[in-house]
Amino acid sequence: MNGFDHLKWLKRRGTKVNWHLIDWIWHVRGCLSIPAQQTSSEVFCKIDPLFQEFGTTHELKNESLVFSKKNQPSQDKMAVFDDGVLSIESKKEGSVLQYDLRSKTLLFCFLAPFFFLAMAELTIVVKHLQKPSTEVSQSLAEKEKEEEARYLIQSPIDKALGVPAPEKKTDKDDEKQGKKKLSPVAAYVFAGIFSVLYVIGRISEALSVKSLFRKYLSEY
């Protein structure tokens, strides 16, 4: 069951949720004024090329255009949207084209930061649980260093024979071991990246689709 299907299931069960408070996350809504001389059929005829792309199906129902997309190609100008409804509404100031579009991509980008934040918290918990064992390993490592120090002392005979002195562990070796430790930094970075992607995508897609509809409606 995907995210959209789960939300539909909750609605059928009558779950008390004010959907308009949260569905803006993956919905893009808006409206455009229609010239008085244009009929509904002319409006839908002008924007029809947008719904002739591969993987897109659509139908007209009672002054409304309902569409859905599946495996849409990247060159589709509305590829980010998976389904939606466009309808003609009459208002005091004139007729308008209203649209309600849904996007799984926006929903994914919104939820992804929470996933990575959860991973970061899990990493911190695991790191905290591993702390006692690391303390024991550090004490063992100190003993090993003491034993190594004894062997690192070169005897006069070895010096006379020209045997090279044993090498000591450098700070770089210690840094490499430190890098292997668990760190939540990467998860925080990805959470930030997806948060930025969502904000930018949410704003840019709302503006671009409105501009796209306006462009097709203005053509003669």
Side-chain angles (χ1 to χ4, degrees), residues 3-65:
F4 290 152
D5 292 337
H6 183 65
L7 293 172
K8 290 178 180 177
W9 177 75
L10 289 175
K11 288 181 179 180
R12 286 197 297 268
R13 289 196 62 185
T15 307
K16 293 182 179 179
V17 179
N18 192 345
W19 294 103
H20 284 288
L21 293 178
I22 62 172
D23 66 357
W24 57 267
I25 294 169
W26 64 92
H27 281 247
V28 172
R29 297 185 178 94
C31 62
L32 285 171
S33 299
I34 299 172
Q37 66 274 15
Q38 285 190 6
T39 63
S40 300
S41 58
E42 289 175 338
V43 171
F44 289 129
C45 183
K46 285 188 174 184
I47 62 175
D48 184 71
L50 293 171
F51 306 99
Q52 297 298 328
E53 298 288 346
F54 175 81
T56 302
T57 58
H58 72 285
E59 60 178 331
L60 294 174
K61 291 182 178 180
N62 301 324
E63 301 294 315
S64 298
L65 186 149

Side-chain angles (χ1 to χ4, degrees), residues 201-212:
R202 181 67 178 78
I203 296 172
S204 63
E205 289 300 332
L207 293 175
S208 64
V209 76
K210 189 169 188 176
S211 176
L212 185 65

Side-chain angles (χ1 to χ4, degrees), residues 172-198:
K172 290 183 178 179
D173 295 330
D174 294 333
E175 288 178 4
K176 288 180 180 178
Q177 291 179 354
K179 288 180 180 178
K180 295 179 181 178
K181 295 180 180 179
L182 292 173
S183 174
V185 175
Y188 285 131
V189 170
F190 279 108
I193 290 173
F194 277 100
S195 297
V196 173
L197 285 175
Y198 174 76

